[in-house]
Each structure stands twice: as C-alpha cells, then as structure tokens.
Amino acid sequence: MLFVPSSVASSRFSGLSRTYLRRNSIFPKPVSPAQPIMSHTTLPTNQDALSVISLLAGVVFSPPAANFVRPLEYANGDKIALEQITLAFSRLVLGVQLVLAGVQLPSRYLKREWKPLSLLLGPIMTTMWMCSSLLIWAMVPNLPFLHALAVGACVTPTDPVLSNSIVKGKFADKNVPKELQKIIIAESGANDGLGYPFLFLALYLIKYTGDGGLGQTGGAGKAMGLWFYETWAYTIILSVVYGAVVGWTANQLLHWAEERKFVDRESFLVFAIALALFILGTCGMIGSDDVLACFIAGNAFTWDDWFRLETLDDSLQPTIDMLLNLSVFLWYGATCPWASFLKNDVIPLYRLVFLGILILAFRRLPIVFSMHKLIHQIDEKRQAVFVGFFGPIGVSAIFYLYIGREFLREMSTGDVERPDAESLADTLDIVVWFLVICSIVSYLSPNHPLSPSLTPSGRPWNQHSSWKTRLLPSPHHLSSP
C-alpha cells in the first residue's frame, strides 16, 4: 500500500490518457496526500480458508447434525429437484465469477497472450483429462474406460472460485508475480467453459455405443456428428460469439449512459453482476454454454480497460462474489453425499482416498512442469510446480457432475434407465464429490505462512519495482486501445 505525495501524483498523472484517468467522469477519484492506492487484490481475504469453513458450516447445519439447513426438504423431497437446484446454484456462482474474472484482465489480454493460453487450454488441458481418466479407470474396480473419460472430464477444468486464493489476497500480492496471476485468471476462466467437449465426447459415445447402443440408432458415427455439431458449433462457438457481442454492446451502452450521466455510481459498480445474470438467463434459454459466454463477455466488456480502471478501488463486486462463494460451499457441505463415501457399490474407501492423492499429484503437475518453458509467465521451476499443483477442483466439477447426471437420466429405454447409465451416474456422484472435497481441503496450503515466495530471490513482487511501477499499471496498460 503506497501513500503518494500530492506533488508527485499530480505531475505523474498529468500525462495519462483519457482511457486510464477520465477527468470528465461522473466518478472522480482524487488522490490526496494521505490516500492509499488500492486494488481488489489487496483485500485481506483467505479465500480457501473461508471455503473450508463454509463447507464445514454446511456439514454442521445439515440434517444429520443441527438440522438448520435442509436441502432435501427445500426440494420437496425430490432428489432430482435437489440436483437441479445445486446445478442452478453452481451455474450462478460460476457465471458471476467468470464475468468478474474477465473484467479483471487488462485490455486485450486474450489477444496478446493467445500463445500461452493455447498451450494451457489445448495440450495441457487434454493431458489433464487423459491423466485423470486413466487414474480413475485404474482405481475404480470394473469401470469401463468410456465411463472413466466422463468422470475425468468433470474434474479437468481448474476452478475459478478456489483459484482466488492464488490471484487475490495478501498471499498473491506478496508472493505471486502479477503476470502469473493474470495467466492463472485467464486459464481458470476459459477452461471452465471448455469442459463440455471432453464430457460430451464420452457421453455421446456411451449413449450410442455403450451396451450395444441399447435403445439408440446411428452408432459411433452419429455420436461424433452430434459432438461436432451440438457441442462444438452450437455450445462452444455460439457461446463465444454471443458473449463477445453482448460484452461489447454492454460496454458501448454503459459508455453512452455515463457520458450523459444517466447512471449513478451504485448502478455502475454492479453492472458486471447484472451482465452475468443477463447472460446466464439468455444463454440458458437458447441452450448454449453460458459459463464460457460469461467469461468472453467479461473480456469484451473491458476490452478498452475503461470499466476495470474505473472500478479499480471498488470493493462491492469482490464482496458480492465472496458472499456467493461462501453460500455455495455451505450448500455443498449440506448436500454432499458423505455417507456414500463409506458405503457404496462403486469403490472402497481406501481406494477412494488413494485416488484423491493420485489426482492431486498427477492430474496437472507433470504436464505443466514439462511445458513451463513454453509459457513465458512461468519463469522458474518452482513457479511451474506452483502452477502445476494449484489447479483446484471445485464448483466447476459439481457443475459438470450434474450436467452429466442430467444427460444420463435421458438415456432410457422406455421407463427404465439403461444399466450402464445408472452405473455411471453413481460413479460420478461418489468420485467427483470426493475429489472436490479433497481439493478444497488440500488447497489451504498456499496460504500457509511458511509458503515460499514465487518471485525472484524470494522477495515480494513490489520490492522489485520502482515507485512508478508500483503506483500505476505497466505502460502498455495505459496506452489507448
């Protein structure tokens, strides 16, 4: 936190472009001699600790304990309705989180950093899927490989909610370089929506080839056709186009309203939240990938960096985001099938525990470490280990879990579920939930006070910068779009 002398601040600010400091804005932000320069990342919030506390609170308040939170009762005793509520809640949290993640990134970030992002979202994400699937296939008894691919797809995306612990807060400010924070935000935002192709490749093949394609016609050819048309064209590409159009249009409309002083500060600050809700609703109506559309819209919305810089010292959006995150983990604690981990027909507990350890160790770390020299944001081996290990499994995994179970319910012959669909649904429920719990608990470690710094020489990033660098964003962030 810096205190800027008024004489220095006035001379330094005088040459800034209108993009960074809008002198005619309806939201002036004067810098006084005693006013600190702050950002969202200086909030002293330990996100992972709060996630664990909320999860434990959900367990304490659940029906087997205090009985304050009764999820099944809220769903009128219908387990399918409870799954739909959890899916909708997860979608809401992801949508808001991903719009805010897109807004946090600097101007034209996806365009400038497309090469490292292509590596993270292409070969690295695909390898994560295959490694997770192979480990699940090896550890779950009598599990077909296609079923393992479906389960592995649910835990492949890195969760943007839990990733907050390494891109926000005091730990990130002191120990994680800024460029590394940005690439982690971009990856966790983009790969959440890109879990659909991995999941539905397995699900379509199971539907049309599993059990001899019982009740279905067309075989593998139809499965691949649906995968290319429905998943890639309609779900992925349409959501990218829709998110970009809506985000850019929202930016232009907000500019127009601000110039005419039609919007007050309170409405201005919650505009990104409203944008997330709008995209979730409209994308849900057309059946496209609303999660990916939210992230793309957040990037398009702040393409000129105007909104991000106008709200740089705002704490309202992070506060709303945190409240949603805490609420969803409390809900997870109350709805998690804890008893199923001990007693089920899918996998013994000792194998489940060993699977959790293997997934945390080998799902992401080896491939990131082997390719870190191709990603310029990762300067050292210890940074590669950090990025490789801290790829959390959380809200996005629960989201894809219930997307998969919803699809499997439709795979029926008459009024009876196909046996393979019922078996896969049970496996998804137990394995994915357990891996989410393992991930939430294990990612407390980056906030431990003994955690090493990831900046050169073990010093905080801001000790390597001059007062000018620490005071303002880097020069290319200040340039006009």
Side-chain angles (χ1 to χ4, degrees), residues 31 40 42 63 65 123 147 150 176 276 286 290 376 379 383 394 397 407 419 456:
V31 179
H40 298 324
T42 59
H147 291 202
V176 184
I286 63 177
D290 43 9
H376 68 85
D379 295 328
Q383 292 181 3
F407 181 89

Side-chain angles (χ1 to χ4, degrees), residues 18 76 146 188 271 283 312 327:
R18 187 173 181 269
N76 295 322
L146 280 179
S188 64
F271 195 87
C283 246
L312 202 61
S327 301

Side-chain angles (χ1 to χ4, degrees), residues 68-129:
F68 289 160
V69 179
R70 300 180 288 276
L72 193 59
E73 182 179 321
Y74 304 150
N76 295 322
D78 187 345
K79 292 185 177 180
I80 295 178
L82 178 58
E83 291 187 6
Q84 292 172 342
I85 293 172
T86 306
L87 174 61
F89 198 179
S90 302
R91 175 180 275 116
L92 170 65
V93 172
L94 284 175
V96 172
Q97 177 71 51
L98 291 177
V99 167
L100 296 181
V103 169
Q104 287 179 57
L105 295 174
S107 173
R108 294 173 170 81
Y109 187 82
L110 297 186
K111 181 180 179 181
R112 287 188 289 105
E113 303 295 344
W114 67 269
K115 289 184 179 180
L117 279 173
S118 297
L119 291 174
L120 289 166
L121 301 177
I124 290 180
M125 190 175 179
T126 303
T127 305
M128 289 168 59
W129 175 46

